[in-house]
Amino acid sequence: MGIKMRDWPQRAFVMTIGLLLVCCFLPQMLLRAQHNLPSAEGVLVVVTDPPGAEVMLDGVVRGVTEPERGLVLNGLKSGAYTLVVHKQWHRSVQRRVVIEPGKRTVLNLALGRPIGFLSVRASLPHVRIEVKGIGVYQQELHRQEVPVGKYQVKIEGPGIPVRVQTVDVTAGVETDLFFDLGPEAQPSKPEIKVTPIEIPNRGRADRPLLKAGDRYGVLVRGYLIPEVVALPGGSFLMGSDSGGEDEKPVHEVYLDPFDMGRVLVTNAQFKAFCDATKREYPADPPEWGNYFNGYPDHPVVNVSWEDAMAYCEWLSKITGAKYRLPTEAQWEYAARGGLTGKKYPWGDDDPKGRANYLEGQIPFGVPTTRVASYAPNGYGLYDMAGNVWQLCWDFYDVSYYRSGNTRNPQGPPEGGNRVARGGAWLYGPSSLRCAVRLQVSPFMQHETIGFRVALVRS
């Protein structure tokens, strides 16, 4: 049907009004749409010197920085993130970054010179070690992280001549100086050993615990993680004929080599995991005050078996190695420290002064002790008895020792409860025996339960 001439003025008027309305409101609609589109998103640009650095947000790898361009992360939800930038053999950089809606945040980060590691030892006690430009140390310097370059090392002590040595530290390598200062020593250069660092958090049983600043552990990708020590493979006698029924019979077990956490996982180490993954902190036990944040080098408690496994999974992602809870067999092998037929990790002597356990009255205040407060066992492991129970990988089965599985046993294929070992501050001396087994719910969180990690070599 055609348009009649008498209808044209009216239609023209309607079209004009419509056009005016579109012209008036279209800009507002476009602005509103533009505002709504990125209302919860922003852009982060990370540029590093040198390039080729890995960028992590809240523990998740997002990519690697490119020369000049860096790494552009689009579509980030607004909010606060933990940013860690890591390049092998450089010091990691950690920042708290806030992404604002509709905004572009640019970070230029200098990673500095690559790093190596320096150790200095002497054959005599009471020596003073000075590394020019780094610091002064008493008795021993163990794997100090330093920028690559040349360093002057001076060592002196009562009744010995001053010795000075210049040493070259290279990236990813531990340079170890040993000064023989005995009466028959020749005034020659120190013994120098150079060893590539394969696993950054692997320490040595005959050396002091590794530290990052004042905290026990090692910084990997900017996160504080536990030190481990390598244990040789071999066989041992597991169980006890004089203990409970679940400890019988004594049987020979063979294990492949593995690495064991040298100390219990600490509050500070577990906090790194919580902060990276935005996981809720473990609850502070009643009457312990601000335990989790206030006692960084004490063992973490109030964590379940599932919490501990989540930590091990995160640790595996951070390091690229395979971490989990130790099996019962690995734990007992490590606890015995190379001893055969002994009751405790140190032998058969009375536990007093050797572990943190209940000696009568429950202590007032925080009853745990700082990790490594007592002497280590023969494998250089601390707190293998007392302080807190230590969760293991295995399901609990009272008769599992009768199964005949004696080569790298992993425990029963199924079950309800899991196993914990080692005793705790709330338990008496009998709980400290290497063979004692405790069954716990995988969901239970308790102030007497913590854990240590194992690194499995595949």
Side-chain angles (χ1 to χ4, degrees):
M1 181 183 295
I3 299 175
K4 297 179 179 179
M5 291 298 295
R6 63 175 178 271
D7 295 333
W8 174 251
Q10 181 179 357
R11 290 179 179 273
F13 175 76
V14 172
M15 293 173 64
T16 302
I17 294 298
L19 184 59
L20 288 172
L21 289 173
V22 170
C23 292
C24 290
F25 291 103
L26 182 59
Q28 296 183 30
M29 295 169 62
L30 290 174
L31 285 173
R32 190 172 299 169
Q34 190 178 25
H35 176 73
N36 289 337
L37 185 62
S39 60
E41 295 180 350
V43 177
L44 175 63
V45 181
V46 182
V47 181
T48 62
D49 180 19
E54 182 184 74
V55 176
M56 304 177 71
L57 282 182
D58 289 343
V60 178
V61 176
R62 297 300 187 99
V64 176
T65 59
E66 300 177 7
E68 298 182 1
R69 182 175 182 269
L71 177 66
V72 181
L73 300 176
N74 294 298
L76 293 177
K77 292 183 178 180
S78 60
Y81 293 83
T82 299
L83 170 77
V84 177
V85 176
H86 165 77
K87 183 177 176 67
Q88 189 175 34
W89 308 129
H90 287 72
R91 285 198 174 101
S92 299
V93 176
Q94 182 170 326
R95 294 283 188 274
R96 193 70 172 166
V97 60
V98 177
I99 301 300
E100 299 185 40
K103 290 190 176 181
R104 181 184 181 91
T105 302
V106 180
L107 291 179
N108 290 279
L109 303 174
L111 304 184
R113 284 187 293 166
I115 58 172
F117 304 88
L118 180 62
S119 296
V120 184
R121 297 173 295 138
S123 61
L124 295 178
H126 312 300
V127 296
R128 178 182 182 273
I129 300 168
E130 180 182 353
V131 182
K132 191 172 182 179
I134 300 298
V136 176
Y137 308 88
Q138 299 298 322
Q139 187 55 36
E140 181 173 352
L141 177 64
H142 182 35
R143 205 196 285 179
Q144 175 68 41
E145 185 180 288
V146 298
V148 298
K150 293 185 180 297
Y151 292 91
Q152 185 187 81
V153 179
K154 182 169 72 173
I155 189 165
E156 56 188 335
I160 60 174
V162 175
R163 301 277 293 277
V164 178
Q165 175 68 36
T166 299
V167 64
D168 194 10
V169 177
T170 56
V173 170
E174 178 184 6
T175 302
D176 189 348
L177 281 71
F178 176 73
F179 288 86
D180 187 353
L181 305 175
E184 299 180 1
Q186 299 297 321
S188 58
K189 292 183 179 181
E191 178 185 347
I192 301 177
K193 291 183 179 180
V194 177
T195 308
I197 301 294
E198 297 177 354
I199 299 177
N201 62 320
R202 178 183 283 164
R204 287 174 46 180
D206 62 337
R207 304 295 291 277
L209 285 166
L210 295 174
K211 282 189 172 184
D214 294 331
R215 301 286 168 256
Y216 288 126
V218 179
L219 285 176
V220 172
R221 296 187 178 183
Y223 297 110
L224 184 70
I225 70 170
E227 175 187 352
V228 297
V229 290
L231 300 188
S235 60
F236 77 109
L237 295 178
M238 185 174 182
S240 171
D241 286 331
S242 60
E245 285 303 309
D246 60 354
E247 301 173 26
K248 301 173 182 176
V250 173
H251 56 293
E252 187 175 21
V253 170
Y254 175 83
L255 295 175
D256 292 333
F258 65 100
D259 289 64
M260 191 73 155
R262 201 168 176 197
V263 299
L264 297 158
V265 173
T266 66
N267 284 325
Q269 292 165 3
F270 199 81
K271 183 177 184 296
F273 159 61
C274 293
D275 290 343
T277 59
K278 295 187 176 179
R279 193 182 188 91
E280 186 177 351
Y281 291 163
D284 289 322
E287 300 180 2
W288 287 24
N290 186 22
Y291 178 73
F292 185 69
N293 283 299
Y295 294 82
D297 282 329
H298 282 232
V300 66
V301 299
N302 274 344
V303 287
S304 67
W305 185 91
E306 293 200 338
D307 293 331
M309 283 301 297
Y311 175 83
C312 291
E313 290 173 7
W314 172 80
L315 194 60
S316 299
K317 292 178 182 178
I318 293 299
T319 62
K322 185 179 179 181
Y323 285 86
R324 59 162 168 72
L325 293 173
T327 64
E328 271 201 276
Q330 288 174 331
W331 189 94
E332 187 169 327
Y333 176 77
R336 293 188 179 279
L339 300 178
T340 302
K342 301 299 182 181
K343 186 183 297 186
Y344 305 112
W346 55 83
D348 291 327
D349 294 340
D350 188 88
K352 191 173 181 64
R354 299 177 184 272
N356 178 23
Y357 66 100
L358 185 63
E359 298 185 49
Q361 189 174 0
I362 296 176
F364 177 78
V366 173
T368 62
T369 53
R370 187 181 185 185
V371 297
S373 293
Y374 298 91
N377 72 355
Y379 286 152
L381 303 172
Y382 294 85
D383 294 310
M384 292 305 293
N387 222 356
V388 294
W389 287 102
Q390 301 167 46
L391 295 164
C392 292
W393 166 265
D394 312 43
F395 284 112
Y396 176 83
D397 182 348
V398 66
S399 59
Y400 180 67
Y401 288 3
R402 295 180 174 86
S403 68
N405 190 347
T406 59
R407 187 177 182 88
N408 297 314
Q410 303 285 307
E414 59 184 6
N417 292 332
R418 298 285 180 169
V419 179
R421 294 294 206 108
W425 59 267
L426 188 58
Y427 291 73
S430 62
S431 72
L432 307 178
R433 293 184 301 107
C434 294
V436 170
R437 307 171 70 202
L438 177 72
Q439 59 172 320
V440 298
S441 164
F443 309 106
M444 185 176 75
Q445 299 170 331
H446 197 265
E447 59 198 26
T448 63
I449 295 178
F451 69 103
R452 73 176 69 222
V453 300
L455 190 163
V456 183
R457 305 180 206 171
S458 53

